[in-house]
Amino acid sequence: MIRLDDVQAFVQAVDAGGFSAAARLSSVTPAMVSSAVQRLEKELGVRLFVRSTRSMRLSDDGERYLPHARAMLDSVAGGARALAESRGEISGPLRLAVPSDLGRNVLLPWLDDFQAAHPGISLQLRISDRTIDLHRHPIDAAVRYGMLDDSSLVAQPLLPDNRRVLCASPDYLARHGRPGHPDQLREHNCLCFVWGEQVHDRWNFELPEGLCTVKVTGNRVSDDGELTRRWALAGHGIAYKSHADVAADLKAGRLVDLFPGMGERSPLNLVTAHRTQLTLAVQQLRDFLRERLGDRVR
């Protein structure tokens, strides 16, 4: 008889990258995780991991079994959620992926409020500007900017009219002047963002006469959106940020919008791998974030 706890230990070991890391997440010993995986391997009659003294990786059988193990755990969790939702309750794990700047500085306190309103929720949060494969990783929903590259994903709009904002601090503008046209950005230090392996150094603007694309350069590049905003606040250059990220800075005068209404569109969505993941918890989170984000950018 396969034990559900053993299946969970196997999946956690895969996601965490090893028995020790999985043990820390579950507050147990690595030996307990190892024993659970060994029991599962014995029941299945296969080796799920290829182990050596220095490394551990999934075997071919482990790769084949992993999606079924995830489906088993998701099915059990889904059953519990369905019973709770029938009573009008929200409970269980809520696994979210959010971008760095928006996540740390905007969403984090809001998620505290959401969890306080629904104490049965166990929040699991990933903060990163790297795109997570929602089909392969155990994520219920992700907050993402821009149009979706994968048409199989399901997007729930949070800020459909969100745009990027070309912004700089008053100190930077006092020292270097304010560009009057996007073409003049070639004369300024632009703070570029790395998306995946690509530097986002071609900035698009929607001008009255049509689309304008400028190839920018600068002496600071980062793959962390929060760091780019901090550099802009410190006066190190001009940033091209989402309005949702910098709305409070613009209102407070810490940053200046250089070309109001001309930034490229960057809709903000709550994304799931498929419609079955639009649980009551995800739907209520969507409505909650829509309201808070709408108030923020007004």
Side-chain angles (χ1 to χ4, degrees):
M1 177 69 69
I2 292 176
R3 294 170 51 173
L4 192 63
D5 288 348
D6 295 347
V7 177
Q8 187 169 33
F10 164 62
V11 172
Q12 285 180 335
V14 173
D15 292 338
F19 292 163
S20 296
R24 286 193 295 271
L25 292 174
S26 302
S27 299
V28 298
T29 66
M32 293 176 68
V33 176
S34 178
S35 295
V37 173
Q38 289 176 20
R39 279 196 304 269
L40 181 60
E41 289 177 325
K42 184 177 180 180
E43 288 292 336
L44 296 172
V46 299
R47 294 296 296 272
L48 297 171
F49 290 101
V50 177
R51 304 170 178 84
S52 71
T53 55
R54 294 187 176 182
S55 65
M56 181 181 76
R57 62 176 176 82
L58 277 175
S59 67
D60 291 342
D61 284 327
E63 291 278 5
R64 281 188 285 269
Y65 185 68
L66 180 59
H68 300 284
R70 292 195 192 282
M72 188 186 310
L73 296 176
D74 287 343
S75 180
V76 171
R81 282 196 303 268
L83 291 174
E85 290 175 5
S86 69
R87 299 189 296 270
E89 301 171 359
I90 297 178
S91 63
L94 181 58
R95 301 163 296 188
L96 302 176
V98 300
S100 65
D101 196 358
L102 189 74
R104 292 189 184 99
N105 299 297
V106 179
L107 300 183
L108 193 58
W110 294 355
L111 291 174
D112 289 341
D113 293 341
F114 185 77
Q115 193 169 23
H118 305 286
I121 285 178
S122 172
L123 186 63
Q124 300 176 19
L125 193 62
R126 290 194 181 190
I127 297 183
S128 173
D129 285 320
R130 293 185 177 273
T131 302
I132 294 176
D133 187 340
L134 298 181
H135 295 294
R136 290 181 57 85
H137 291 84
I139 298 294
D140 296 312
V143 176
R144 287 187 181 173
Y145 285 113
M147 305 302 294
L148 298 183
D149 295 329
D150 186 345
S151 60
S152 68
L153 299 176
V154 179
Q156 300 286 306
L158 297 177
L159 275 179
D161 298 325
N162 187 62
R163 288 180 179 268
R164 291 194 175 276
V165 174
L166 188 74
C167 55
S169 70
D171 174 63
Y172 176 87
L173 298 176
R175 288 182 287 113
H176 299 282
R178 177 172 180 159
H181 189 277
D183 286 338
Q184 295 177 359
L185 288 174
R186 297 184 178 93
E187 305 166 11
H188 287 267
N189 193 49
C190 295
L191 307 170
C192 293
F193 179 71
V194 177
W195 182 261
E197 301 301 323
Q198 186 73 33
V199 177
H200 184 236
D201 57 2
R202 293 185 180 274
W203 294 358
N204 299 315
F205 302 90
E206 297 181 7
L207 306 183
E209 60 269 26
L211 181 67
C212 174
T213 301
V214 182
K215 175 74 163 60
V216 300
T217 59
N219 62 7
R220 298 188 183 216
V221 179
S222 174
D223 64 351
D224 188 296
E226 181 184 16
L227 182 55
T228 304
R229 183 177 60 85
R230 288 189 181 187
W231 282 341
L233 288 168
H236 294 305
I238 297 178
Y240 202 26
K241 292 284 295 175
S242 161
H243 186 205
D245 288 348
V246 298
D249 297 318
L250 296 173
K251 291 177 182 177
R254 294 185 292 267
L255 292 175
V256 178
D257 186 349
L258 302 180
F259 300 127
M262 296 184 186
E264 68 178 339
R265 298 179 186 275
S266 183
L268 185 63
N269 299 302
L270 188 67
V271 182
T272 60
H274 41 74
R275 292 201 172 274
T276 57
Q277 288 183 296
L278 292 176
T279 62
L280 182 61
V282 172
Q283 293 177 51
Q284 293 209 11
L285 177 66
R286 173 201 62 200
D287 296 342
F288 174 83
L289 292 180
R290 275 179 184 169
E291 182 178 358
R292 289 289 181 99
L293 285 163
D295 291 341
R296 176 177 173 80
V297 301
R298 287 191 184 96

